[in-house]
Amino acid sequence: MTTDKATTAGTRPSPPARPALSRPYIASAALALIDAGGLSAFSMRKLGTGLGVDPMAVYRYFQDQEDLFDAIAETIFDELDVDSLPWDGTWREVAERYCLRLREALLAHPHAVSIFATRPVRSPASIDTGVRIIEGFQTAGFTPAQALQISRCLREFTVGHALSLAVIRLGARSRSRKPTPGSSSYNILAQAADDTEIDEHFDIGLTAMLNGFEALV
Amino acid sequence: MTTDKATTAGTRPSPPARPALSRPYIASAALALIDAGGLSAFSMRKLGTGLGVDPMAVYRYFQDQEDLFDAIAETIFDELDVDSLPWDGTWREVAERYCLRLREALLAHPHAVSIFATRPVRSPASIDTGVRIIEGFQTAGFTPAQALQISRCLREFTVGHALSLAVIRLGARSRSRKPTPGSSSYNILAQAADDTEIDEHFDIGLTAMLNGFEALV
DNA sequence: ACCTGAACACCGTTCAAGT
DNA sequence: ACCTGAACACCGTTCAAGT
């Protein structure tokens, strides 16, 4: 019916239901696919098919899967909305809010945290944010070396935490494995690990680290 | 020549050059293969071939690749030699040495850190160590909830740090990508990130976190 | 310019068969 | 009991061809 030329109305130039392909659009679609089906079920071919296009069309925009995964990491970072961070506040306010936002963005995509955690994010937005944070630390009185080291520690804790939490949450859903009844030591850890409220240990670690850094300045 | 029966000497029952297969032996061989060639070049088939055996023989010992990766994570953890930790010392000494050992074991296998970081390690050795550390924290005066949360924060920072560092070190070797000359902000970060001495920021973060926790007790 | 689809060199995993 | 190898249903990536 609607195959040959324009639609029966004929006015619009029959825009395809799918938006034009582009790097950010494809990266978002890939991330959505991973969110829905998990990383292990993702493939370049399924991405093309899901996009309503030939499985190989994606290679017109990305060199390979690594290139696509780099873009996915940038997509996640962009969800931080760094512009709305309290840039006029103290170094500690900026650092704390940045880490909380990063954690939030990562945990919104539990199946993709490992993609983010296994590559440096080198988008301009990410680099500029890093520079801005480090400059703020220096203004607050930290040495350049300290400022860099502190920013890296905070990010590493945040990413490590989000990765660990994502793994636990996803694992709890898929694993029904019995609690290894033999080892009595298992229960104390497993019970606590699978406990939902334990998610809130991030604040304790972040506060401890920030307190420790505050003593340096 | 040596194909048919025993060797010309004939005394020994012609022991194969390769040791008997077992889960720990296969896991170690897989880890060595990943250390040498990187994770992306690893495959179940190459593992069998590298073991001098049919590519499918490994499936007699491991259910699938996930099962093998679990065992690789346990192999790395076993390199900690937890028994030699200063269990008679303060909670802080135990915590600090544990994190340093864990970092060391992870960085000895940069291509496998992501394997360790993306799954909970549930070997008896790992679980017992976790319990022992948490009990020590409680003895030192932390509440049970605090003890658990603190141990998780320390581990998350350590793993996040090791993963980040491994990624940077491996990336620096494989990437010759020009420094994106347009963005002037790139250099300050890239220069610092690729700087070898920056590796030593782990101590600063660990000390800050431990100081912060010490104030809680 | 952008998309297609055949082709290549691999994968992980299963399973009937060998010894 | 343990290993083999053919077979299945996929992969990522390349590239000549289409429109």
mmCIF file of all heavy atoms in Angstrom, chain A residues 85-109:
data_model
loop_
_atom_site.group_PDB
_atom_site.id
_atom_site.type_symbol
_atom_site.label_atom_id
_atom_site.label_comp_id
_atom_site.label_asym_id
_atom_site.label_seq_id
_atom_site.Cartn_x
_atom_site.Cartn_y
_atom_site.Cartn_z
ATOM 1 N N LEU A 85 25.769 21.691 37.927
ATOM 2 C CA LEU A 85 26.478 21.446 39.189
ATOM 3 C C LEU A 85 26.726 22.772 39.904
ATOM 4 O O LEU A 85 26.787 23.829 39.261
ATOM 5 C CB LEU A 85 27.816 20.735 38.909
ATOM 6 C CG LEU A 85 27.720 19.246 38.542
ATOM 7 C CD1 LEU A 85 29.071 18.698 38.112
ATOM 8 C CD2 LEU A 85 27.175 18.431 39.704
ATOM 9 N N PRO A 86 26.872 22.738 41.224
ATOM 10 C CA PRO A 86 27.024 23.994 41.998
ATOM 11 C C PRO A 86 28.424 24.576 41.858
ATOM 12 O O PRO A 86 29.199 24.602 42.816
ATOM 13 C CB PRO A 86 26.739 23.540 43.433
ATOM 14 C CG PRO A 86 27.141 22.107 43.474
ATOM 15 C CD PRO A 86 26.862 21.557 42.113
ATOM 16 N N TRP A 87 28.723 25.072 40.666
ATOM 17 C CA TRP A 87 30.082 25.542 40.384
ATOM 18 C C TRP A 87 30.495 26.738 41.236
ATOM 19 O O TRP A 87 31.680 27.030 41.367
ATOM 20 C CB TRP A 87 30.224 25.886 38.900
ATOM 21 C CG TRP A 87 30.125 24.695 38.005
ATOM 22 C CD1 TRP A 87 29.095 24.383 37.154
ATOM 23 C CD2 TRP A 87 31.081 23.619 37.881
ATOM 24 N NE1 TRP A 87 29.350 23.190 36.511
ATOM 25 C CE2 TRP A 87 30.554 22.695 36.930
ATOM 26 C CE3 TRP A 87 32.312 23.341 38.466
ATOM 27 C CZ2 TRP A 87 31.234 21.524 36.571
ATOM 28 C CZ3 TRP A 87 32.983 22.179 38.107
ATOM 29 C CH2 TRP A 87 32.447 21.283 37.174
ATOM 30 N N ASP A 88 29.517 27.424 41.801
ATOM 31 C CA ASP A 88 29.853 28.572 42.652
ATOM 32 C C ASP A 88 30.080 28.167 44.102
ATOM 33 O O ASP A 88 30.452 28.996 44.934
ATOM 34 C CB ASP A 88 28.720 29.616 42.588
ATOM 35 C CG ASP A 88 28.609 30.238 41.204
ATOM 36 O OD1 ASP A 88 29.654 30.285 40.517
ATOM 37 O OD2 ASP A 88 27.500 30.659 40.820
ATOM 38 N N GLY A 89 29.851 26.909 44.407
ATOM 39 C CA GLY A 89 30.001 26.454 45.787
ATOM 40 C C GLY A 89 31.438 26.117 46.130
ATOM 41 O O GLY A 89 32.365 26.388 45.364
ATOM 42 N N THR A 90 31.617 25.503 47.283
ATOM 43 C CA THR A 90 32.960 25.097 47.706
ATOM 44 C C THR A 90 33.430 23.899 46.871
ATOM 45 O O THR A 90 32.641 23.253 46.179
ATOM 46 C CB THR A 90 32.940 24.663 49.182
ATOM 47 O OG1 THR A 90 32.106 23.496 49.309
ATOM 48 C CG2 THR A 90 32.381 25.777 50.059
ATOM 49 N N TRP A 91 34.738 23.619 46.947
ATOM 50 C CA TRP A 91 35.263 22.452 46.213
ATOM 51 C C TRP A 91 34.540 21.191 46.652
ATOM 52 O O TRP A 91 34.267 20.296 45.860
ATOM 53 C CB TRP A 91 36.765 22.301 46.438
ATOM 54 C CG TRP A 91 37.134 21.830 47.829
ATOM 55 C CD1 TRP A 91 37.393 22.603 48.921
ATOM 56 C CD2 TRP A 91 37.245 20.461 48.254
ATOM 57 N NE1 TRP A 91 37.660 21.823 50.006
ATOM 58 C CE2 TRP A 91 37.586 20.504 49.637
ATOM 59 C CE3 TRP A 91 37.104 19.231 47.637
ATOM 60 C CZ2 TRP A 91 37.765 19.340 50.388
ATOM 61 C CZ3 TRP A 91 37.283 18.081 48.389
ATOM 62 C CH2 TRP A 91 37.616 18.139 49.756
ATOM 63 N N ARG A 92 34.220 21.141 47.933
ATOM 64 C CA ARG A 92 33.586 19.947 48.468
ATOM 65 C C ARG A 92 32.165 19.759 47.950
ATOM 66 O O ARG A 92 31.741 18.642 47.656
ATOM 67 C CB ARG A 92 33.579 20.027 50.002
ATOM 68 C CG ARG A 92 33.025 18.776 50.627
ATOM 69 C CD ARG A 92 33.172 18.763 52.128
ATOM 70 N NE ARG A 92 32.522 17.573 52.640
ATOM 71 C CZ ARG A 92 32.995 16.797 53.602
ATOM 72 N NH1 ARG A 92 34.125 17.107 54.194
ATOM 73 N NH2 ARG A 92 32.353 15.733 53.998
ATOM 74 N N GLU A 93 31.443 20.854 47.830
ATOM 75 C CA GLU A 93 30.099 20.757 47.276
ATOM 76 C C GLU A 93 30.125 20.276 45.823
ATOM 77 O O GLU A 93 29.352 19.405 45.428
ATOM 78 C CB GLU A 93 29.394 22.119 47.362
ATOM 79 C CG GLU A 93 28.903 22.448 48.766
ATOM 80 C CD GLU A 93 28.571 23.928 48.951
ATOM 81 O OE1 GLU A 93 28.839 24.736 48.037
ATOM 82 O OE2 GLU A 93 28.048 24.272 50.025
ATOM 83 N N VAL A 94 31.041 20.849 45.065
ATOM 84 C CA VAL A 94 31.166 20.426 43.667
ATOM 85 C C VAL A 94 31.512 18.943 43.591
ATOM 86 O O VAL A 94 30.898 18.176 42.841
ATOM 87 C CB VAL A 94 32.244 21.263 42.939
ATOM 88 C CG1 VAL A 94 32.512 20.692 41.557
ATOM 89 C CG2 VAL A 94 31.818 22.719 42.850
ATOM 90 N N ALA A 95 32.498 18.540 44.374
ATOM 91 C CA ALA A 95 32.955 17.150 44.325
ATOM 92 C C ALA A 95 31.833 16.195 44.728
ATOM 93 O O ALA A 95 31.596 15.173 44.073
ATOM 94 C CB ALA A 95 34.167 16.974 45.239
ATOM 95 N N GLU A 96 31.160 16.549 45.812
ATOM 96 C CA GLU A 96 30.119 15.654 46.307
ATOM 97 C C GLU A 96 28.978 15.503 45.311
ATOM 98 O O GLU A 96 28.533 14.394 45.013
ATOM 99 C CB GLU A 96 29.589 16.183 47.646
ATOM 100 C CG GLU A 96 28.583 15.261 48.284
ATOM 101 C CD GLU A 96 28.266 15.666 49.719
ATOM 102 O OE1 GLU A 96 28.486 16.849 50.060
ATOM 103 O OE2 GLU A 96 27.808 14.794 50.486
ATOM 104 N N ARG A 97 28.535 16.620 44.793
ATOM 105 C CA ARG A 97 27.423 16.557 43.840
ATOM 106 C C ARG A 97 27.827 15.858 42.552
ATOM 107 O O ARG A 97 27.048 15.116 41.953
ATOM 108 C CB ARG A 97 26.900 17.980 43.544
ATOM 109 C CG ARG A 97 26.348 18.697 44.768
ATOM 110 C CD ARG A 97 25.067 18.040 45.268
ATOM 111 N NE ARG A 97 24.044 18.076 44.251
ATOM 112 C CZ ARG A 97 23.262 19.110 44.017
ATOM 113 N NH1 ARG A 97 23.357 20.186 44.752
ATOM 114 N NH2 ARG A 97 22.358 19.056 43.061
ATOM 115 N N TYR A 98 29.036 16.091 42.119
ATOM 116 C CA TYR A 98 29.524 15.428 40.914
ATOM 117 C C TYR A 98 29.509 13.907 41.087
ATOM 118 O O TYR A 98 29.033 13.176 40.216
ATOM 119 C CB TYR A 98 30.938 15.913 40.587
ATOM 120 C CG TYR A 98 31.585 15.166 39.462
ATOM 121 C CD1 TYR A 98 31.237 15.413 38.134
ATOM 122 C CD2 TYR A 98 32.569 14.201 39.707
ATOM 123 C CE1 TYR A 98 31.831 14.717 37.085
ATOM 124 C CE2 TYR A 98 33.165 13.502 38.669
ATOM 125 C CZ TYR A 98 32.793 13.769 37.368
ATOM 126 O OH TYR A 98 33.387 13.078 36.345
ATOM 127 N N CYS A 99 30.001 13.449 42.219
ATOM 128 C CA CYS A 99 30.041 11.999 42.456
ATOM 129 C C CYS A 99 28.639 11.408 42.558
ATOM 130 O O CYS A 99 28.373 10.317 42.041
ATOM 131 C CB CYS A 99 30.841 11.690 43.719
ATOM 132 S SG CYS A 99 32.606 12.012 43.540
ATOM 133 N N LEU A 100 27.752 12.127 43.217
ATOM 134 C CA LEU A 100 26.384 11.621 43.337
ATOM 135 C C LEU A 100 25.699 11.550 41.973
ATOM 136 O O LEU A 100 24.991 10.599 41.672
ATOM 137 C CB LEU A 100 25.587 12.513 44.301
ATOM 138 C CG LEU A 100 25.996 12.396 45.774
ATOM 139 C CD1 LEU A 100 25.322 13.477 46.620
ATOM 140 C CD2 LEU A 100 25.653 11.013 46.330
ATOM 141 N N ARG A 101 25.929 12.552 41.164
ATOM 142 C CA ARG A 101 25.351 12.551 39.818
ATOM 143 C C ARG A 101 25.917 11.431 38.959
ATOM 144 O O ARG A 101 25.205 10.777 38.218
ATOM 145 C CB ARG A 101 25.668 13.880 39.115
ATOM 146 C CG ARG A 101 24.949 15.059 39.658
ATOM 147 C CD ARG A 101 23.641 15.296 38.914
ATOM 148 N NE ARG A 101 23.099 16.566 39.368
ATOM 149 C CZ ARG A 101 23.398 17.728 38.814
ATOM 150 N NH1 ARG A 101 24.202 17.772 37.757
ATOM 151 N NH2 ARG A 101 22.887 18.838 39.276
ATOM 152 N N LEU A 102 27.218 11.257 39.059
ATOM 153 C CA LEU A 102 27.860 10.202 38.274
ATOM 154 C C LEU A 102 27.308 8.841 38.684
ATOM 155 O O LEU A 102 26.967 8.001 37.840
ATOM 156 C CB LEU A 102 29.376 10.263 38.474
ATOM 157 C CG LEU A 102 30.215 9.192 37.763
ATOM 158 C CD1 LEU A 102 29.933 9.175 36.265
ATOM 159 C CD2 LEU A 102 31.704 9.425 38.022
ATOM 160 N N ARG A 103 27.212 8.634 39.983
ATOM 161 C CA ARG A 103 26.655 7.379 40.486
ATOM 162 C C ARG A 103 25.242 7.142 39.956
ATOM 163 O O ARG A 103 24.898 6.056 39.506
ATOM 164 C CB ARG A 103 26.637 7.413 42.011
ATOM 165 C CG ARG A 103 25.958 6.233 42.675
ATOM 166 C CD ARG A 103 25.944 6.412 44.181
ATOM 167 N NE ARG A 103 25.442 5.231 44.873
ATOM 168 C CZ ARG A 103 24.178 5.044 45.203
ATOM 169 N NH1 ARG A 103 23.255 5.953 44.881
ATOM 170 N NH2 ARG A 103 23.810 3.951 45.834
ATOM 171 N N GLU A 104 24.452 8.198 39.984
ATOM 172 C CA GLU A 104 23.074 8.108 39.527
ATOM 173 C C GLU A 104 23.005 7.746 38.037
ATOM 174 O O GLU A 104 22.245 6.860 37.629
ATOM 175 C CB GLU A 104 22.413 9.476 39.758
ATOM 176 C CG GLU A 104 20.936 9.464 39.953
ATOM 177 C CD GLU A 104 20.424 10.892 40.230
ATOM 178 O OE1 GLU A 104 21.278 11.786 40.494
ATOM 179 O OE2 GLU A 104 19.212 11.107 40.157
ATOM 180 N N ALA A 105 23.820 8.431 37.248
ATOM 181 C CA ALA A 105 23.814 8.164 35.803
ATOM 182 C C ALA A 105 24.252 6.735 35.515
ATOM 183 O O ALA A 105 23.689 6.062 34.639
ATOM 184 C CB ALA A 105 24.727 9.152 35.090
ATOM 185 N N LEU A 106 25.239 6.258 36.238
ATOM 186 C CA LEU A 106 25.722 4.896 36.014
ATOM 187 C C LEU A 106 24.675 3.869 36.416
ATOM 188 O O LEU A 106 24.411 2.911 35.688
ATOM 189 C CB LEU A 106 27.024 4.665 36.792
ATOM 190 C CG LEU A 106 28.233 5.447 36.299
ATOM 191 C CD1 LEU A 106 29.402 5.288 37.268
ATOM 192 C CD2 LEU A 106 28.649 4.973 34.911
ATOM 193 N N LEU A 107 24.063 4.069 37.581
ATOM 194 C CA LEU A 107 23.103 3.075 38.064
ATOM 195 C C LEU A 107 21.806 3.084 37.260
ATOM 196 O O LEU A 107 21.018 2.145 37.345
ATOM 197 C CB LEU A 107 22.817 3.295 39.548
ATOM 198 C CG LEU A 107 23.995 2.952 40.468
ATOM 199 C CD1 LEU A 107 23.641 3.197 41.920
ATOM 200 C CD2 LEU A 107 24.442 1.506 40.258
ATOM 201 N N ALA A 108 21.618 4.132 36.464
ATOM 202 C CA ALA A 108 20.458 4.132 35.556
ATOM 203 C C ALA A 108 20.676 3.165 34.400
ATOM 204 O O ALA A 108 19.727 2.828 33.689
ATOM 205 C CB ALA A 108 20.212 5.547 35.024
ATOM 206 N N HIS A 109 21.903 2.709 34.221
ATOM 207 C CA HIS A 109 22.227 1.774 33.127
ATOM 208 C C HIS A 109 23.084 0.633 33.664
ATOM 209 O O HIS A 109 24.248 0.491 33.272
ATOM 210 C CB HIS A 109 22.969 2.516 32.011
ATOM 211 C CG HIS A 109 22.253 3.721 31.498
ATOM 212 N ND1 HIS A 109 21.181 3.644 30.627
ATOM 213 C CD2 HIS A 109 22.410 5.037 31.752
ATOM 214 C CE1 HIS A 109 20.746 4.852 30.357
ATOM 215 N NE2 HIS A 109 21.468 5.722 31.031
#
